[in-house]
Amino acid sequence: MSRPPPDPAEPRVTLAQVARAAGVSEITASRALRDAANVAPRTLEQVRAAARALDYVPNRMAGALAGGASRQVAVVLPSLSNSVFADVLRGLETRLDHAGHHPILGVSNYDPEQEERLIRDLLSWRPAGIVIAPAASTEGTRRMLAQSGLPVVEIMDIDPPPIDTAVGLSQRAAGRAMAAHLTGRGYRRFAYLGHDIAADPRALARLEGLRAGLADVRARFEEVLTLPGPSSVPLGREGLAALLARRAPGGLAVCFSNDDMAVGAMFHCMAAGLAVPGDVALAGFNGLAIGQALPQPLTSIASMRDRIGAVAADTLLARLRGEEPARSIDVGFALIPGATA
Amino acid sequence: MSRPPPDPAEPRVTLAQVARAAGVSEITASRALRDAANVAPRTLEQVRAAARALDYVPNRMAGALAGGASRQVAVVLPSLSNSVFADVLRGLETRLDHAGHHPILGVSNYDPEQEERLIRDLLSWRPAGIVIAPAASTEGTRRMLAQSGLPVVEIMDIDPPPIDTAVGLSQRAAGRAMAAHLTGRGYRRFAYLGHDIAADPRALARLEGLRAGLADVRARFEEVLTLPGPSSVPLGREGLAALLARRAPGGLAVCFSNDDMAVGAMFHCMAAGLAVPGDVALAGFNGLAIGQALPQPLTSIASMRDRIGAVAADTLLARLRGEEPARSIDVGFALIPGATA
DNA sequence: ATTTTCATTGACAGCGCTGTCATCGCCATG
DNA sequence: CATGGCGATGACAGCGCTGTCAATGAAAAT
């Protein structure tokens, strides 16, 4: 059982070798392997055969350096802890891959400093563009992105003025829509339960939308509780337990920063024998599959995350082709009435 | 509201300009910005100041081409649909980032052809190494990886003979452990409910482990049901409903390919008024947070996914430093007794 | 038959950086 | 005071590829 030799003098096959084997010049081989235009069919075949025979793997770094665009796309996400950004990433990767592009990934953990450093690092790979779900970005970050001269697609929220292009939904409008739904159903007592909001500008925007919506009917949150740490099922479960230790349930509608929190809250109600929505009403956000598979489907707002990823990729690719897509693309959201509020 | 000028003649700052501004040669500037060794403190400061003043962003493609290693790591995952690989990716990214490396991501969708194409593509970026959670890999894939001369870390399962290095757990042993747990608790009727198994070699390995464990007490699955599509909460819910349309629940223990399926099944039981584990016992796999936050914690096996990602990264980095870590690293697993079986 | 056109091919330079080796002082040593 | 050693710096070449423009020859046009 010996490890394959680390191949210290690794003599990688180069384009020059392929060209020699095919009996043509380097540049002709290069063209044959790319455009295929302006190359005689016979030559084309020879070059392809030689490449195949030698197991040639092009060196795209050299290619990108020499002239072509890089075909790598920097992707900066604030988190991979719940499925939200995993969904976005999936949509992104699929579409980029189809176009022969690949994501270089960075996760900022909602830390503006880390985000800035990350962007600086990723930019040094000279990507063709950048897709970012911003944390509370620093001024330096914005300047760097603007000055990079690259297409920049900011995803998730379309309300803040984009540096270049935005793809997502109006987080604020989503918040308002949920508030309207809840007040429309007759609820008059409200609480908010979220993860650490300071770091997550979109959760904050939704909260503000909720507040604005409640204010429309002169209602307000009795309590806004934010817990440290990323949103998660256990956090929602613990959170609701803590909240209900202080507040009478009767007719209280609780809004969550994310479906996973709401699902955890639902579990608490099940375990504590509380009727939903009779004793407590629960409203989530994102329309995750898990919420819809609950015995009672969760009241939520579908956020079409894979769509955001896909559209972000398409928008970026369009800009790379020199087109001028809209500065701001609203992929919308949909209220899911569910049965928990 | 005008888009920032696409900067057609984008004159990016180069090392040469920094060197000129600092009044030193290119190579000295290069050294100052990297090693900092063998550079006079005064020169060092001048170069750094110049770089800062010019907003210099190094071009690592050129750097990698010229000599240094690439500091990009190809990462190939079969899916991002459930949190399993998102967790792994998170662990990977964190550790790689700390070491100044970045993942280039590819998702194979459990398709061997796509996986092979993906690897070919990613290899053309001349990464420093590759981390892969293999689908049912083709012979071509294995050859390509072996001949690449790069460190290759295969993650998730340590049973198949690794091309180079493996980090994960014994999927088969995990299956056996669960079987032993269930038979030990007295269950004698068993069923298996999974997602499309043909494409997922690890789920298959676990199933075989389960079978082997059951065989130890002369038991076997009454039914092995695999549903098309990736594992998900709704799929588990529908799946159990379908299964119980054919099988009497009384004392049946159902094993799932993943916790999300089991959680869906739990929801079905709640909705259908079935007692768990009285009428049906449920056993998942992976120890996802959601399963543990259920009113009754799910019987499962914790698979330490972020740990796998972190260890995979560390192993790769160690190989890049020229060390010789073990060929196979077992991060283990832990049975979670839970309360559903 | 002569000129024009076009498809095909190649020579050359250079992308931005780093490894290698040479050079230059300056200091400590005898 | 001569010598060796060493820290600091730079010249040069080249990583593997592609854009640009020129050269070639054969087909098309006159």
PDB file of all heavy atoms in Angstrom, chain B residues 11 19 33-34 49 103 105 115 137 198 207 329:
ATOM      1  N   PRO B  11      -6.630  50.066 -15.969  1.00  0.00           N
ATOM      2  CA  PRO B  11      -5.186  49.939 -15.826  1.00  0.00           C
ATOM      3  C   PRO B  11      -4.847  49.478 -14.420  1.00  0.00           C
ATOM      4  O   PRO B  11      -4.623  50.279 -13.536  1.00  0.00           O
ATOM      5  CB  PRO B  11      -4.705  51.371 -16.060  1.00  0.00           C
ATOM      6  CG  PRO B  11      -5.885  52.242 -15.678  1.00  0.00           C
ATOM      7  CD  PRO B  11      -7.089  51.389 -15.505  1.00  0.00           C
ATOM      8  N   ALA B  19       6.954  48.950  -7.202  1.00  0.00           N
ATOM      9  CA  ALA B  19       8.409  48.970  -7.081  1.00  0.00           C
ATOM     10  C   ALA B  19       8.951  50.346  -7.456  1.00  0.00           C
ATOM     11  O   ALA B  19       9.768  50.932  -6.742  1.00  0.00           O
ATOM     12  CB  ALA B  19       9.013  47.888  -7.979  1.00  0.00           C
ATOM     13  N   LEU B  33       6.721  42.206  -0.080  1.00  0.00           N
ATOM     14  CA  LEU B  33       5.296  41.954   0.093  1.00  0.00           C
ATOM     15  C   LEU B  33       4.999  40.515   0.499  1.00  0.00           C
ATOM     16  O   LEU B  33       3.881  40.201   0.897  1.00  0.00           O
ATOM     17  CB  LEU B  33       4.554  42.286  -1.203  1.00  0.00           C
ATOM     18  CG  LEU B  33       3.874  43.660  -1.318  1.00  0.00           C
ATOM     19  CD1 LEU B  33       4.346  44.638  -0.255  1.00  0.00           C
ATOM     20  CD2 LEU B  33       4.034  44.242  -2.695  1.00  0.00           C
ATOM     21  N   ARG B  34       5.981  39.642   0.389  1.00  0.00           N
ATOM     22  CA  ARG B  34       5.742  38.248   0.754  1.00  0.00           C
ATOM     23  C   ARG B  34       6.563  37.845   1.972  1.00  0.00           C
ATOM     24  O   ARG B  34       6.112  37.928   3.100  1.00  0.00           O
ATOM     25  CB  ARG B  34       6.098  37.323  -0.407  1.00  0.00           C
ATOM     26  CG  ARG B  34       5.178  37.492  -1.607  1.00  0.00           C
ATOM     27  CD  ARG B  34       5.615  36.571  -2.706  1.00  0.00           C
ATOM     28  NE  ARG B  34       6.997  36.849  -3.129  1.00  0.00           N
ATOM     29  CZ  ARG B  34       7.814  35.963  -3.679  1.00  0.00           C
ATOM     30  NH1 ARG B  34       7.404  34.733  -3.867  1.00  0.00           N
ATOM     31  NH2 ARG B  34       9.035  36.317  -4.046  1.00  0.00           N
ATOM     32  N   ALA B  49       4.287  50.930   2.112  1.00  0.00           N
ATOM     33  CA  ALA B  49       3.607  52.217   1.986  1.00  0.00           C
ATOM     34  C   ALA B  49       3.172  52.444   0.539  1.00  0.00           C
ATOM     35  O   ALA B  49       2.045  52.868   0.276  1.00  0.00           O
ATOM     36  CB  ALA B  49       4.531  53.330   2.455  1.00  0.00           C
ATOM     37  N   PRO B 103     -11.272  27.613  -1.693  1.00  0.00           N
ATOM     38  CA  PRO B 103     -11.873  26.521  -2.451  1.00  0.00           C
ATOM     39  C   PRO B 103     -12.481  26.977  -3.768  1.00  0.00           C
ATOM     40  O   PRO B 103     -13.145  28.016  -3.818  1.00  0.00           O
ATOM     41  CB  PRO B 103     -12.980  26.003  -1.512  1.00  0.00           C
ATOM     42  CG  PRO B 103     -13.283  27.127  -0.592  1.00  0.00           C
ATOM     43  CD  PRO B 103     -12.087  28.030  -0.539  1.00  0.00           C
ATOM     44  N   LEU B 105     -15.236  25.561  -6.156  1.00  0.00           N
ATOM     45  CA  LEU B 105     -16.264  24.567  -5.877  1.00  0.00           C
ATOM     46  C   LEU B 105     -16.866  23.950  -7.131  1.00  0.00           C
ATOM     47  O   LEU B 105     -17.095  24.620  -8.129  1.00  0.00           O
ATOM     48  CB  LEU B 105     -17.380  25.245  -5.078  1.00  0.00           C
ATOM     49  CG  LEU B 105     -18.539  24.354  -4.652  1.00  0.00           C
ATOM     50  CD1 LEU B 105     -18.067  23.307  -3.674  1.00  0.00           C
ATOM     51  CD2 LEU B 105     -19.644  25.203  -4.064  1.00  0.00           C
ATOM     52  N   GLU B 115     -19.127  14.520 -12.666  1.00  0.00           N
ATOM     53  CA  GLU B 115     -18.005  14.581 -11.733  1.00  0.00           C
ATOM     54  C   GLU B 115     -16.679  14.569 -12.489  1.00  0.00           C
ATOM     55  O   GLU B 115     -15.772  15.361 -12.204  1.00  0.00           O
ATOM     56  CB  GLU B 115     -18.072  13.386 -10.775  1.00  0.00           C
ATOM     57  CG  GLU B 115     -16.998  13.407  -9.713  1.00  0.00           C
ATOM     58  CD  GLU B 115     -17.135  12.221  -8.770  1.00  0.00           C
ATOM     59  OE1 GLU B 115     -16.741  11.091  -9.146  1.00  0.00           O
ATOM     60  OE2 GLU B 115     -17.640  12.401  -7.657  1.00  0.00           O
ATOM     61  N   SER B 137     -17.566   7.122  -8.617  1.00  0.00           N
ATOM     62  CA  SER B 137     -16.610   7.653  -9.586  1.00  0.00           C
ATOM     63  C   SER B 137     -16.295   6.690 -10.723  1.00  0.00           C
ATOM     64  O   SER B 137     -16.253   5.483 -10.533  1.00  0.00           O
ATOM     65  CB  SER B 137     -15.304   8.016  -8.868  1.00  0.00           C
ATOM     66  OG  SER B 137     -15.565   8.889  -7.817  1.00  0.00           O
ATOM     67  N   ALA B 198     -28.678   4.214  -5.618  1.00  0.00           N
ATOM     68  CA  ALA B 198     -27.698   3.800  -6.616  1.00  0.00           C
ATOM     69  C   ALA B 198     -26.618   4.860  -6.775  1.00  0.00           C
ATOM     70  O   ALA B 198     -25.445   4.559  -6.974  1.00  0.00           O
ATOM     71  CB  ALA B 198     -28.394   3.552  -7.946  1.00  0.00           C
ATOM     72  N   LEU B 207     -26.415   1.050   4.277  1.00  0.00           N
ATOM     73  CA  LEU B 207     -27.464   0.032   4.141  1.00  0.00           C
ATOM     74  C   LEU B 207     -26.858  -1.361   4.267  1.00  0.00           C
ATOM     75  O   LEU B 207     -27.406  -2.233   4.946  1.00  0.00           O
ATOM     76  CB  LEU B 207     -28.166   0.194   2.793  1.00  0.00           C
ATOM     77  CG  LEU B 207     -29.186  -0.887   2.425  1.00  0.00           C
ATOM     78  CD1 LEU B 207     -30.251  -1.027   3.508  1.00  0.00           C
ATOM     79  CD2 LEU B 207     -29.850  -0.579   1.081  1.00  0.00           C
ATOM     80  N   ILE B 329      -7.864   8.652   7.709  1.00  0.00           N
ATOM     81  CA  ILE B 329      -8.116   9.234   9.020  1.00  0.00           C
ATOM     82  C   ILE B 329      -9.581   9.044   9.393  1.00  0.00           C
ATOM     83  O   ILE B 329     -10.482   9.503   8.684  1.00  0.00           O
ATOM     84  CB  ILE B 329      -7.764  10.737   9.025  1.00  0.00           C
ATOM     85  CG1 ILE B 329      -6.271  10.893   8.725  1.00  0.00           C
ATOM     86  CG2 ILE B 329      -8.108  11.360  10.368  1.00  0.00           C
ATOM     87  CD1 ILE B 329      -5.814  12.321   8.645  1.00  0.00           C
TER      88      ILE B 329
END
